[in-house]
Amino acid sequence: MKQNLYLLNSRRKNKMKIGFIGLGKMGSGLAKNLIKAGFDVLLFDINPDAVDAVLKVGGSYAASPKAMALEADVIFTSLPLPKHMLQLTIEEEKILQIMKEGSILIDVSTIDPKTARLIANTAEKQNIQFLACPLGKGPAQASEGTEPIFAGGKKEVFESYKDLLEKVGNPTYLGDVEQATAFKLISNMVGMTNIAVMSEGIQLAVQSGIDLSLFKELMHDTGGDSAQLHLRGPFILENDYQPRFSVNLAEKDVRLGIEMAESLTNKAEFSSLTLNYLQNAQAFNLGDKDVAAIYQIFQKGSSAEKIR
């Protein structure tokens, strides 16, 4: 097994061919950083415009995921849902059956532990390595190359590809694929629940006649301070709901997290309340807006009871 890791080191340092599938807000930034680092990068997305945007930096177009799988030594994937990863790797495109023996699949999507394990087991049967590497922050960090990366898989595989991951972010090894994907879901469950509580607090401040700018600044000096207050508090105060991380994506992640919790006999009650608010936001056609738009549900006086 060790002789396959990082292709015997013979293709290290920019000599390997890398494929990148999924060039949305997160994937495009990572792919551009790989190109800027000097790697030969093949690009694919179902949206040709997304590919064209990255091609302005460099890289080359892959006609299909299957065509990419025949050439690439490393394939990165950044897809919206677990079902898309399964369709790509196992069910429809079946790239794990096409990828070169000894190559590696690195997934930076947000998927659940069960899906990650299925992909890992299938990859191993094909003598292909797999790392689940969900990301910790947003598109700005993906573009800057400062994205936190929560890596899971075999430790020796992570160590062999750590320097590659460092080209696109700051990787930390968490254990196997289950630990990496679970951490990402837990992080988002906590973060999205924090937004819901923060939104409730802001609306209470409005109803109490407190100046919102002063409210926000004073909250930073209390136990109510949070990363979300720093990041999304200004969005709410400015009524700015341009999608950095949408309600739809937040709903998906929290829902996956709750499903994971249920498989561990954990009710995840606070996250379940947050999920209801997110789904209510979707019912009010706020799904494509930034998750900060959950505040508008509190403005409407809606409870956590599902609207639909």
Side-chain angles (χ1 to χ4, degrees), residues 51 59 61 89 101 196 201 213 230 260-261 275 295:
V51 178
Y61 176 72
T89 58
E101 185 173 337
S213 295
H230 284 266
M260 175 189 71
L275 181 63
Y295 172 65

Side-chain angles (χ1 to χ4, degrees), residues 24-284:
K25 292 181 179 180
M26 301 298 284
S28 60
L30 302 184
K32 287 177 182 178
N33 282 326
L34 289 170
I35 294 167
K36 291 174 183 177
F39 290 101
D40 183 3
V41 183
L42 291 167
L43 306 166
F44 181 83
D45 193 284
I46 58 173
N47 178 4
D49 291 340
V51 178
D52 290 342
V54 179
L55 285 173
K56 292 177 181 178
V57 176
S60 55
Y61 176 72
S64 68
K66 290 181 178 179
M68 179 187 294
L70 290 171
E71 289 191 60
D73 303 306
V74 180
I75 293 182
F76 281 84
T77 49
S78 179
L79 301 178
L81 296 170
K83 70 177 183 180
H84 298 132
M85 274 300 297
L86 291 175
Q87 289 166 358
L88 174 71
T89 58
I90 298 172
E91 297 173 349
E92 295 180 10
E93 297 289 340
K94 300 181 180 180
I95 66 167
L96 288 176
Q97 294 184 19
I98 303 170
M99 291 175 65
K100 295 187 290 187
E101 185 173 337
S103 61
I104 183 168
L105 175 67
I106 300 176
D107 180 45
V108 300
S109 314
T110 298
I111 62 174
D112 58 284
K114 182 179 179 181
T115 298
R117 173 46 55 198
L118 178 58
I119 294 171
N121 289 347
T122 305
E124 186 170 15
K125 290 177 183 177
Q126 302 292 329
N127 199 18
I128 294 166
Q129 306 300 329
F130 176 63
L131 289 176
C133 293
L135 309 173
K137 292 188 177 178
Q141 290 76 26
S143 295
E144 294 166 357
T146 59
E147 193 71 53
I149 299 173
F150 312 126
K154 294 180 179 179
K155 182 66 176 293
E156 64 270 22
V157 176
F158 168 75
E159 292 295 342
S160 293
Y161 287 88
K162 182 180 178 182
D163 56 348
L164 175 61
L165 292 173
E166 287 174 341
K167 301 296 184 183
V168 295
N170 301 314
T172 300
Y173 181 72
L174 281 176
D176 216 329
V177 295
E178 288 87 352
Q179 285 71 56
T181 51
F183 178 85
K184 170 62 175 180
L185 292 178
I186 295 166
S187 172
N188 278 12
M189 291 165 75
V190 172
M192 299 307 106
T193 300
N194 182 260
I195 292 173
V197 173
M198 178 182 73
S199 297
E200 181 179 71
I202 290 174
Q203 183 58 21
L204 280 170
V206 169
Q207 293 176 283
S208 300
I210 301 172
D211 177 84
L212 284 188
S213 295
L214 184 60
F215 172 79
K216 175 184 175 297
E217 292 309 309
L218 292 177
M219 283 287 286
H220 290 315
D221 289 328
T222 74
D225 193 21
S226 69
Q228 293 293 359
L229 181 63
H230 284 266
L231 178 62
R232 287 190 161 81
F235 300 161
I236 292 174
L237 268 59
E238 296 165 10
N239 199 33
D240 176 6
Y241 301 118
Q242 293 296 315
R244 290 88 173 173
F245 184 77
S246 72
V247 168
N248 286 337
L249 289 176
E251 190 274 342
K252 179 264 294 187
D253 287 359
V254 173
R255 176 167 40 81
L256 287 176
I258 291 170
E259 291 171 0
M260 175 189 71
E262 290 173 345
S263 74
L264 300 171
T265 66
N266 186 314
K267 294 181 180 179
E269 293 174 310
F270 289 106
S271 294
S272 295
L273 285 173
T274 298
L275 181 63
N276 288 349
Y277 277 109
L278 290 166
Q279 291 175 340
N280 286 350
Q282 290 175 321
F284 278 109

